[in-house]
Structure formats: structure tokens, C-alpha cells
């Protein structure tokens, strides 16, 4: 989805890998495939949010080049803290 306030930023939401399929490289493959498509479509940046408790996902995103830009407290309700992460498409 195109970010509301930046036409060159893609916002990934609702992405997950089922727990029984994790560790098989599916998440990594998704992002490796989507980066060139986003670049072709004129995007310069990809962003997402992830639960601060989801250590496996945070680790994956960091391996893929995402960096934590901020922590959003109570994003989806009390105690639902999320990291806002970005990746610059090269």
C-alpha cells in the first residue's frame, strides 16, 4: 500500500508467515521478490510495524535491511507496542 503522506513509500501491513512454516525462508523470499517490483513502481522506501514482542520477525526484518525508526506505544490498544521499521530500496 502507498503511504498516505509519502508517495514514494510503500507500507507493508498484514504480512506474516504461519508459525508452522517459519524458518523455511518464506519471509526472506517474499521481500527479495517484492523489492524489485516496488522499485520498478517508483518506491524508494518500504515501511512496516511489528510487535516489539515478535523477536523472530524483528530479527528477520533487520537481516533484510530494515531499521527501527521508532517505538509506537499502545499502537493497537494498551500494551500493544510496535516498532516502526523502514528499508531504503537501492
Amino acid at each position: 500500500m502507498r503511504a498516505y503522506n509519502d508517495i514514494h513509500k510503500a507500507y507493508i501491513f498484514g504480512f506474516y508467515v504461519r508459525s508452522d512454516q517459519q524458518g523455511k525462508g518464506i519471509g526472506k523470499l517474499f521481500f527479495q521478490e517484492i523489492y524489485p517490483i516496488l522499485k520498478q513502481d517508483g518506491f524508494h522506501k518500504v515501511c512496516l510495524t511489528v510487535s516489539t514482542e515478535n523477536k523472530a520477525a524483528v530479527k528477520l526484518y533487520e537481516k533484510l535491511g530494515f531499521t527501527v525508526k521508532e517505538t509506537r506505544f499502545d499502537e493497537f490498544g494498551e500494551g500493544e507496542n510496535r516498532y516502526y521499521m523502514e528499508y531504503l530500496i537501492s
Side-chain angles (χ1 to χ4, degrees):
M1 175 172 120
R2 193 172 300 274
Y4 176 74
N5 59 351
D6 184 346
I7 64 169
H8 298 293
K9 186 188 316 182
Y11 180 70
I12 305 268
F13 66 95
F15 173 78
Y16 71 97
V17 176
R18 282 188 350 211
S19 60
D20 64 323
Q21 298 298 312
Q22 292 175 359
K24 297 181 179 181
I26 295 168
K28 181 179 178 180
L29 180 62
F30 169 78
F31 281 96
Q32 287 174 334
E33 293 291 322
I34 201 74
Y35 289 154
I37 295 167
L38 292 172
K39 185 175 182 175
Q40 179 181 337
D41 287 347
F43 291 99
H44 304 294
K45 193 180 294 182
V46 182
C47 65
L48 53 81
T49 66
V50 60
S51 170
T52 58
E53 301 296 316
N54 192 341
K55 305 299 182 196
V58 172
K59 185 176 177 180
L60 169 67
Y61 299 143
E62 288 177 334
K63 279 185 178 179
L64 294 172
F66 281 86
T67 57
V68 174
K69 295 296 185 178
E70 66 183 19
T71 303
R72 296 179 175 176
F73 298 97
D74 303 326
E75 180 82 352
F76 297 130
E78 189 174 334
E80 296 291 330
N81 303 325
R82 299 184 71 79
Y83 291 129
Y84 170 80
M85 302 181 79
E86 289 184 346
Y87 171 80
L88 296 176
I89 300 172
S90 55

